[in-house]
Amino acid sequence: RNRSMFRRSKSRSESRHDVQTEARLRNHREQEEKRLEEAEAEKQLQQKAEKLAISEPKLSSGSRPHTQARSAFPFYPARAVVADDKVPWAVKWPDYSPTTFTAPHVLANDSTVKPGGWADPVDPTSVDWPCRASYEGPIAFDGHQQPLNPRGRTGMSQRGYLGKWGANHAADPIVTRFDPASGRLQVA
């Protein structure tokens, strides 16, 4: 009788051990599946980001500098034509006469005139420049104390549709979530 109780007891212990082992294995498999899903989601997100990426081309001999900023924009007046060799500010061009343009809605939202306005004042000399920064390096100014585009001439001066003189910092959030029903990554 004692032997049979010992056998049952041992059998129950082994059974508990098997259940615990199975639970650990199941947990490990679930973690591995989750890791693989996250890796796949990261890969998909990276591919989507690469498709959406707009980057300045690296300049090498024979490439054209600063082309996107010199191209037409539907809501802007025609830009002055800037030849590739005239783009850098280091190149002397005394006859450079860019189109001047600031959108009316930017002027209407001058923060020194309109309460709650989001745009800089018309006069760039009234901006607190020491508090401004650019990821492109130090801010340079023309003879009218307007900041120069750090990448070179664009054929246009002033702000266009941008509210700030100089750098206009922006953040573009990408919202993701795992769908509660399917567990798949969704990107908005």
Side-chain angles (χ1 to χ4, degrees):
R1 185 172 182 185
N2 286 342
R3 286 183 183 166
S4 69
M5 287 179 98
F6 178 73
R7 283 187 191 137
R8 267 189 245 136
S9 174
K10 187 176 179 184
S11 175
R12 287 181 189 152
S13 174
E14 288 174 349
S15 178
R16 269 193 303 263
H17 178 71
D18 289 345
V19 169
Q20 290 173 343
T21 302
E22 285 179 30
R24 276 192 229 112
L25 286 172
R26 190 176 329 108
N27 187 29
H28 178 72
R29 278 192 300 267
E30 288 172 356
Q31 287 178 348
E32 185 62 18
E33 286 175 9
K34 185 176 179 182
R35 189 191 65 75
L36 290 172
E37 285 176 3
E38 288 173 352
E40 180 62 26
E42 179 68 28
K43 182 179 173 184
Q44 290 174 356
L45 190 60
Q46 180 67 31
Q47 289 172 343
K48 187 168 185 173
E50 287 171 1
K51 287 179 186 176
L52 296 175
I54 300 173
S55 60
E56 189 68 27
K58 303 280 186 262
L59 294 180
S60 60
S61 60
S63 66
R64 298 184 63 216
H66 207 38
T67 55
Q68 188 171 358
R70 293 186 290 146
S71 59
F73 182 68
F75 305 109
Y76 283 10
R79 295 173 179 271
V81 176
V82 179
D84 291 349
D85 64 325
K86 300 285 189 189
V87 170
W89 292 110
V91 173
K92 300 286 185 218
W93 189 9
D95 296 332
Y96 178 56
S97 181
T99 302
T100 59
F101 175 68
T102 300
H105 71 273
V106 173
L107 298 172
N109 282 285
D110 181 333
S111 61
T112 60
V113 177
K114 180 180 179 180
W118 45 265
D120 278 348
V122 174
D123 180 13
T125 60
S126 61
V127 172
D128 187 12
W129 288 108
C131 293
R132 298 278 174 100
S134 169
Y135 294 111
E136 295 283 333
I139 300 170
F141 298 87
D142 67 9
H144 304 288
Q145 294 305 303
Q146 294 179 4
L148 296 173
N149 186 315
R151 297 281 177 111
R153 294 180 178 96
T154 63
M156 186 171 291
S157 68
Q158 297 190 1
R159 294 175 284 168
Y161 267 47
L162 303 175
K164 305 291 182 192
W165 287 102
N168 281 256
H169 301 286
D172 298 320
I174 299 173
V175 180
T176 64
R177 77 170 190 154
F178 284 99
D179 184 286
S182 69
R184 299 193 47 87
L185 179 69
Q186 295 178 325
V187 180

